Amino acid sequence: ISYIERTSKRAGSETEGYQFNPSWNMAWYNSLASTISLSYAKKTTMERNQELWDKSWSVNLELKYDVKGKQGIGLPLPFLSSKKLKFDSNLNTSVNIVYTNTEKYNVPPTTSISVAPRLTYSFSRNVSGNLTMNYRRTAGGIYGYVNHEVGMHATAEFKF
């Protein structure tokens, strides 16, 4: 948990603000881990006898799951049926979900939600790759626009 409070004074204006950020990390059964973070911030400025403010809050949920395995593949040849190709493999998965709300004096609120899954795979020391996707929806603000963003990134690495 963190809490920050600030005050500043300038000629003709005074600003006060605070921020509160609790976070919980949890380890679950079968190497599942999660983190939940909350954030709330507010800033108020008195300028020429008028109160101007902005505030924002967000919730962040991150889930991680890792799978590790030592396996082998049998060769389908009669004289090599007792032989196996051995390898170590790792699969790391995560998903990050974030919801944010921002409000300002005399401006309609803006909301945003994003979802970002990620897969990382290593198949022995010579083959690895990852796949990252993201989706974000932002709505509100002065003009009330709704924006959608979609992204995908994939890599594969082969070492010889």
Side-chain angles (χ1 to χ4, degrees):
I1 295 178
S2 75
Y3 177 80
I4 300 170
E5 189 169 343
R6 294 185 176 131
T7 302
S8 66
K9 293 182 180 183
R10 291 183 297 177
S13 71
E14 181 177 334
T15 302
E16 294 180 355
Y18 63 90
Q19 186 171 354
F20 181 64
N21 299 314
S23 178
W24 295 274
N25 296 322
M26 294 168 271
W28 301 88
Y29 180 73
N30 261 355
S31 72
L32 175 66
S34 64
T35 302
I36 299 174
S37 304
L38 306 171
S39 178
Y40 181 81
K42 184 173 182 182
K43 182 173 77 171
T44 305
T45 302
M46 287 297 291
E47 191 171 305
R48 294 185 211 103
N49 293 327
Q50 184 177 9
E51 183 178 81
L52 307 172
W53 53 267
D54 60 67
K55 62 182 176 180
S56 66
W57 62 272
S58 67
V59 178
N60 183 358
L61 173 64
E62 183 177 27
L63 300 170
K64 292 182 181 181
Y65 183 68
D66 298 333
V67 178
K68 296 181 181 190
K70 293 185 176 187
Q71 299 188 12
I73 296 176
L75 299 175
L77 301 173
F79 57 93
L80 293 175
S81 62
S82 64
K83 302 284 184 187
K84 281 191 166 187
L85 293 173
K86 300 268 185 187
F87 59 87
D88 292 337
S89 63
N90 296 319
L91 175 65
N92 302 325
T93 62
S94 68
V95 64
N96 197 7
I97 302 168
V98 180
Y99 180 82
T100 304
N101 183 307
T102 304
E103 298 178 44
K104 292 184 179 184
Y105 172 79
N106 211 17
V107 176
T110 301
T111 59
S112 173
I113 186 165
S114 66
V115 179
R118 179 182 173 104
L119 302 169
T120 303
Y121 183 72
S122 65
F123 177 80
S124 76
R125 293 181 309 188
N126 298 326
V127 179
S128 63
N130 73 47
L131 175 65
T132 304
M133 295 175 279
N134 64 331
Y135 170 77
R136 179 187 308 222
R137 179 187 187 272
T138 305
I142 294 174
Y143 301 109
Y145 292 146
V146 176
N147 295 317
H148 297 272
E149 297 175 31
V150 177
M152 184 173 161
H153 178 79
T155 63
E157 181 178 352
F158 301 94
K159 296 179 185 175
F160 295 102

